[in-house]
Every structure is written in structure tokens, then in C-alpha cells.
Amino acid sequence: MPVEVTWWGHATATVRDSGVTVLTDPLLVRRMAHLRRRRGALPPVSATLADVVLVSHLHADHLHVGSLTRLPPGTRVVVPRGAPRAVPGLRRLGTLLDLVEVVPGDVVRTGPVRVCAVPAAHDGRRLPYGTHRAPALGYVVEGEARTYFAGDTGLFDGMADAVGTVDVALLPVGGWGPYLGDGHLDAGGAAQALTRISPRCAVPVHYGTYWPIGMDAIRPHEFHSPGDEFARLAAQLTPHVRVHRLRHGETARLETSV
């Protein structure tokens, strides 16, 4: 059955399955701290209309309080357990939004869709503001298909068992700066992840959107090329996986049935 995925840029995407709209890691601003959006129009207001919003971890480019304030009152927002304690701005939003705190293994139901929290290998702190920690998560959206949103993660032992069989994988393939630290996937790492989880379709995300101000000339290939490099490596390692390299704002209708 078909699943629709729209990539808005960075880790922000909309997944539509079984009549349910899921929004991931909303980052809806042109500038965040030292980062500037260099490619793609901002997501339209309609992108904020979701049945459930998934926040993968506390880093400000994933849990962006200013973007969450743009959600309609009452929107259900799934966050790592401890996130409101660690992020005062999120705690204040708790009176307007339906915050649901989860850890790996927890399940949140929205209509006919189940959202399952799964582990991620990533720093869970709200850097650089303090030591409060919450687990970094990925999510599997289960409706007519199973769609894995990895958030930010590195490869980790037991990844295949934790994620399970999936039809669609939204995998990070880059970042917002010239260098990636531990707990991230580059194009090669994301292609390796495909060999572990073996989805039918994959969509590269988390690249080619934001870049530090004043650093346009430093390793620009890390901004421009990760999507194409991921598609090239995936074709070599997992030719059975269909890679959909979306432009900003583009929607793919993914037929996941055999």
C-alpha cells in the first residue's frame, strides 16, 4: 500500500499513512543561531497540521522550541522522556500542546497508526546548555506500512532487531556543518544501515539545508553531495532498495507492497 513522504529539509518530513499525518523534527525557520537555511523554501503553514509530531532528541535543530510554537494548540507531540525537564521552553509549551514522553519500546497510538519509539546512538543532552539528558530516539510509524524515521543516529549493534522489518526508511546522510561527529550517519554509514534494516524504499534526509554562516567555502561538498553519494552507494550495496532523493518540498508516493 502507498505511503506518502514529503521532505521539507533537514530532518523535517511529513509521513502520511492510513489517513494519519505525521510530522518529524519540525524546523520551520530560516535561521537558527549560527545556521542559515541555504536551500529550499520554508515549509508552508499547512506543514504544521499534523495528527502527531515526533521529536527525536534534544538538540536544537531537532527540538526547536520556536518551531513547535507554530503548531496548532492541542497537537500531540511525542518527545523523549525527560525533555520537558531539560528544556524550559518546551515545559512552558506543555499547556498548549499534548506532550507525550517516551523511551525505547513505548508505543503511542494515533487513530489506526502506532508509533513505536526505538533506540538511537546519539548524544541525548541539550547542548550546550546543560547536563540534563533524555534518550535520543528513532521512531517506527506502523500503519499500512512500517516507516522508520531514524532521527540522528550512528550505526549500533542490534539496529536491525531494534527497528525490525520496515518498508520505508528516512535516514540522515549528512549534517549542518563541514564535519560530522560521533553518533551520526554520513552517506556511507547510511548505506551500511540499509544492509542491516533492508527496507524496500529509502529517503535521505538531514543534509543540504542549513549551513553555518560564513562557512560557505569550507568543505562545500559536505553540503551538496550527501544525497547523491548515498544513492550511489546504496545502489552498490543494496540494489533491491529503491532510493528516492527528494527535492525540498517534494512528495514521493511510495508503493511498499510487493
Side-chain angles (χ1 to χ4, degrees):
M1 299 297 292
V3 171
E4 287 187 353
V5 175
T6 302
W7 182 51
W8 301 113
H10 203 54
T12 306
T14 295
V15 177
R16 300 176 185 85
D17 189 335
S18 306
V20 174
T21 299
V22 181
L23 178 65
T24 66
D25 285 350
L27 187 56
L28 310 175
V29 294
R30 191 164 301 282
R31 179 173 173 178
M32 189 203 74
H34 65 299
L35 303 181
R36 182 180 72 243
R37 189 177 182 108
R38 290 188 54 209
R39 182 182 289 169
L42 288 176
V45 173
S46 59
T48 67
L49 304 178
D51 297 296
V52 62
V53 175
L54 308 180
V55 173
S56 61
H57 63 287
L58 301 191
H59 292 174
D61 57 321
H62 294 258
L63 195 170
H64 186 253
V65 173
S67 294
L68 294 177
T69 64
R70 304 185 181 194
L71 300 175
T75 300
R76 173 172 287 187
V77 181
V78 181
V79 300
R81 182 178 296 172
R85 177 177 62 88
V87 184
L90 179 64
R91 187 162 61 245
R92 290 190 290 270
L93 280 178
T95 61
L96 298 175
L97 302 174
D98 177 16
L99 299 181
V100 181
E101 299 182 51
V102 296
V103 295
D106 286 347
V107 175
V108 177
R109 295 180 181 273
T110 300
V113 164
R114 289 165 31 107
V115 175
C116 307
V118 298
H122 194 67
D123 190 333
R125 291 173 294 172
R126 179 69 166 182
L127 298 174
Y129 306 110
T131 59
H132 291 305
R133 183 182 295 271
L137 302 173
Y139 296 97
V140 176
V141 178
E142 297 183 350
E144 295 181 359
R146 298 185 83 246
T147 300
Y148 172 45
F149 168 62
D152 246 353
T153 189
L155 295 170
F156 59 92
D157 294 337
M159 189 179 204
D161 291 336
V163 174
T165 302
V166 294
D167 300 290
V168 180
L170 278 62
L171 294 178
V173 301
W176 50 253
Y179 302 99
L180 286 174
D182 293 336
H184 293 87
L185 294 176
D186 59 8
Q192 288 291 334
L194 292 182
T195 69
R196 302 188 183 195
I197 61 177
S198 194
R200 290 175 177 163
C201 306
V203 177
V205 300
H206 204 277
Y207 77 100
T209 309
Y210 291 89
W211 203 250
I213 294 170
M215 297 184 68
D216 293 7
I218 299 177
R219 295 173 62 85
H221 62 282
E222 297 294 351
F223 178 85
H224 292 285
S225 66
D228 289 337
E229 182 68 1
F230 169 70
R232 183 184 70 81
L233 294 172
Q236 294 177 0
L237 295 177
T238 54
H240 60 286
V241 178
R242 300 191 300 276
V243 173
H244 298 263
R245 187 193 176 290
L246 301 181
R247 297 182 298 273
H248 292 78
E250 184 178 9
T251 298
R253 183 178 173 89
L254 308 179
E255 296 288 343
T256 57
S257 58
V258 178

